[in-house]
Amino acid sequence: MPENTSIDTGSRLYEAVAERLRRSIRDGGYRAGQLIGSEHGLARDQSISRVTVRRASEILIKEGLLERRPGKGLYVRGPETIDTNSHGLIQVVAGNLHWEPALQISRGVQAAARLDGLHVQLYDAHGDMELDLAMLDQLPQSRAHGAVIVSLHSPAFIDAVCRLKTTDFPFVLADQRMRDMEVPSVTADNYDGGMQAGRHLLKLGHRRIAFMGDMVAATVQDRLSGFRDAVADAGLPFDRSMVIDLEVGKDRLADWSTGIEAATLELMARPNPPTALFVSCDAIARAAYRALADLGLSVPRDVSVIGFDDDPLAQWLMPGLTTVRQPFQQMGRAAMELLCQRIDKPGAAVQQRVMPVELVVRGSTAAPQGDSAPRAVSVPHNKPAFHTLGVAASAAHTAAPQ
């Protein structure tokens, strides 16, 4: 490991060490089966703690790039160390495994692969979108026989998937269905989830319902479509001014919290603010909770909030978050099943599987308080303004992929 390679001080040290080793392995700096060194020796040579080296090596061991040989040290994992069958090595590519849906999808892939005796290699870009896209470009030259790719919902990601498709490398896309090209995919029924959320709020008596999400994502567009149709089925007009587009730009793995809080404030500062807020994922709901509390508004007394995903923190919010549960582990299992079919029969028809969702009702939704609106609030001058669907927001945004 070169002494003069700098560590990105903006990330956690062990992740930077792991990335430096990862690059060295993929760039040919180490060959398969080569000894990299002991954890104690690496820590001494780099003047870092052994705990840091241990955490970095655990990441690369999980990704299948390294193996630890007791009493010897860390070795680059080679093809001869991998137990493969006719399907061989399967790669899972995720932008950030700290994002709960990506983690659960990966666990579903691993569970399905284990039943078939397959080896799964996890690639976690740790929030670095450029690394994620580079991994997609490298897949055809890798040892992997196929890949499950967790979507990032961005134009650059779609371009990378298009390039990958031209290589005939077998892959399945998880959490996104491509609309302009045939790509095998597994998604939740986002349209039905949006409809269930809309019907729930309408049944409670809400009529001024705002929707907030990043419209570049097809999944979010489907949730909005289901919500809009629920309103239409109730015989009510759909108010497009209540739709807030959180445009996050190129970096979908950045922090969205500032933009979410500003958008929430803008909605509640209107003369006739919403009595309910439907957001495109639970992470956005958490930021909206904070913004509403800062404004002195109570959930659900002043504003009902409903999310999407049912991540583990949803039930621990105060009050617990009403949300639409996505079956992420089942999506991972289904993606693995489709991938094996693609490997076995490359010329077979492309399948796009849609998994059912479930509305989970908790304490964040209730009937509006009579016919009175929640009190309007004032927008501080230093807060960016957000507008309606189709108008770009100008702020930075919480790590909340949809």
Side-chain angles (χ1 to χ4, degrees):
M1 186 158 44
E3 293 282 349
N4 61 356
T5 303
S6 63
I7 292 177
D8 178 5
T9 56
S11 62
R12 282 178 288 190
L13 183 58
Y14 73 90
E15 291 181 346
V17 172
E19 177 52 27
R20 188 169 60 187
L21 278 170
R22 186 186 295 113
R23 287 184 184 274
S24 295
I25 293 169
R26 289 187 173 137
D27 291 344
Y30 297 106
R31 65 180 184 276
Q34 180 178 348
L35 172 66
I36 290 181
S38 68
E39 291 176 349
H40 177 75
L42 291 173
R44 182 189 62 245
D45 292 344
Q46 296 301 310
S47 299
I48 56 180
S49 73
R50 187 171 180 179
V51 172
T52 297
V53 175
R54 169 59 65 97
R55 295 186 72 181
S57 63
E58 288 294 339
I59 290 174
L60 299 184
I61 289 170
K62 288 180 181 179
E63 292 178 3
L65 294 177
L66 293 182
E67 64 174 330
R68 183 182 291 110
R69 298 180 185 176
K72 296 182 178 180
L74 296 169
Y75 286 76
V76 178
R77 192 174 176 88
E80 70 280 358
T81 66
I82 299 175
D83 180 20
T84 63
N85 62 11
S86 60
H87 293 140
L89 174 65
I90 303 302
Q91 179 82 59
V92 176
V93 183
N96 193 342
L97 288 177
H98 286 300
W99 181 47
E100 187 67 25
L103 178 62
Q104 294 299 327
I105 289 171
S106 300
R107 287 175 176 172
V109 172
Q110 289 178 303
R114 192 179 303 117
L115 293 176
D116 290 334
L118 303 177
H119 179 84
V120 174
Q121 182 183 74
L122 290 178
Y123 180 82
D124 179 6
H126 301 285
D128 188 329
M129 187 167 182
E130 292 303 318
L131 280 178
D132 188 90
L133 299 179
M135 184 60 192
L136 297 188
D137 288 334
Q138 294 167 13
L139 280 173
Q141 289 77 46
S142 70
R143 299 193 311 271
H145 288 65
V148 173
I149 302 169
V150 182
S151 180
L152 287 183
H153 303 277
S154 76
F157 177 84
I158 292 173
D159 288 344
V161 172
C162 289
R163 292 193 298 271
L164 184 60
K165 179 177 169 59
T166 64
T167 69
D168 294 325
F169 179 84
F171 70 92
V172 174
L173 191 58
D175 196 37
Q176 182 174 359
R177 175 177 177 175
M178 293 292 188
R179 291 176 173 170
D180 299 324
M181 62 178 166
E182 285 195 339
V183 171
S185 63
V186 177
T187 61
D189 194 337
N190 293 285
Y191 173 85
D192 183 59
M195 179 165 280
Q196 289 189 47
R199 286 175 173 171
H200 174 67
L201 293 173
L202 291 165
K203 184 177 180 181
L204 289 172
H206 293 279
R207 296 297 179 263
R208 295 191 308 282
I209 306 170
F211 181 91
M212 187 190 303
D214 179 23
M215 301 305 164
V216 72
T219 52
V220 175
Q221 295 170 20
D222 289 343
R223 292 165 200 174
L224 175 59
S225 294
F227 167 60
R228 184 181 58 232
D229 286 353
V231 173
D233 287 349
L236 300 171
F238 183 75
D239 186 355
R240 288 176 61 87
S241 72
M242 287 286 191
V243 178
I244 300 295
D245 186 358
L246 296 172
E247 295 196 10
V248 299
K250 295 181 179 180
D251 191 356
R252 300 197 56 76
L253 298 173
D255 182 10
W256 297 12
S257 56
T258 301
I260 296 166
E261 290 166 5
T264 304
L265 190 152
E266 192 274 340
L267 279 169
M268 303 314 300
R270 296 181 181 185
N272 201 21
T275 62
L277 180 60
F278 175 25
V279 299
S280 64
C281 69
D282 293 351
I284 294 179
R286 292 196 294 273
Y289 264 47
R290 290 194 297 271
L292 292 169
D294 289 344
L295 296 172
L297 299 176
S298 173
V299 177
R301 184 192 63 202
D302 297 312
V303 187
S304 287
V305 179
I306 186 167
F308 211 103
D309 287 345
D310 193 29
D311 71 28
L313 293 179
Q315 63 179 314
W316 300 112
L317 292 175
M318 293 296 290
L321 180 65
T322 296
T323 186
V324 177
R325 177 179 294 158
Q326 295 198 70
F328 291 117
Q329 287 208 24
Q330 292 92 323
M331 288 165 63
R333 291 173 182 269
M336 189 67 219
E337 179 184 338
L338 290 186
L339 181 59
C340 289
Q341 293 175 10
R342 295 298 295 173
I343 295 172
D344 288 339
K345 299 178 180 179
V350 171
Q351 294 187 51
Q352 296 170 329
R353 192 167 297 180
V354 179
M355 311 293 286
V357 296
E358 176 189 359
L359 178 68
V360 180
V361 178
R362 298 191 179 102
S364 67
T365 51
Q369 297 297 305
D371 294 327
S372 62
R375 61 181 178 83
V377 297
S378 299
V379 181
H381 294 300
N382 63 344
K383 291 287 187 179
F386 280 74
H387 303 285
T388 57
L389 178 61
V391 180
S394 59
H397 304 70
T398 181
Q402 42 311 307

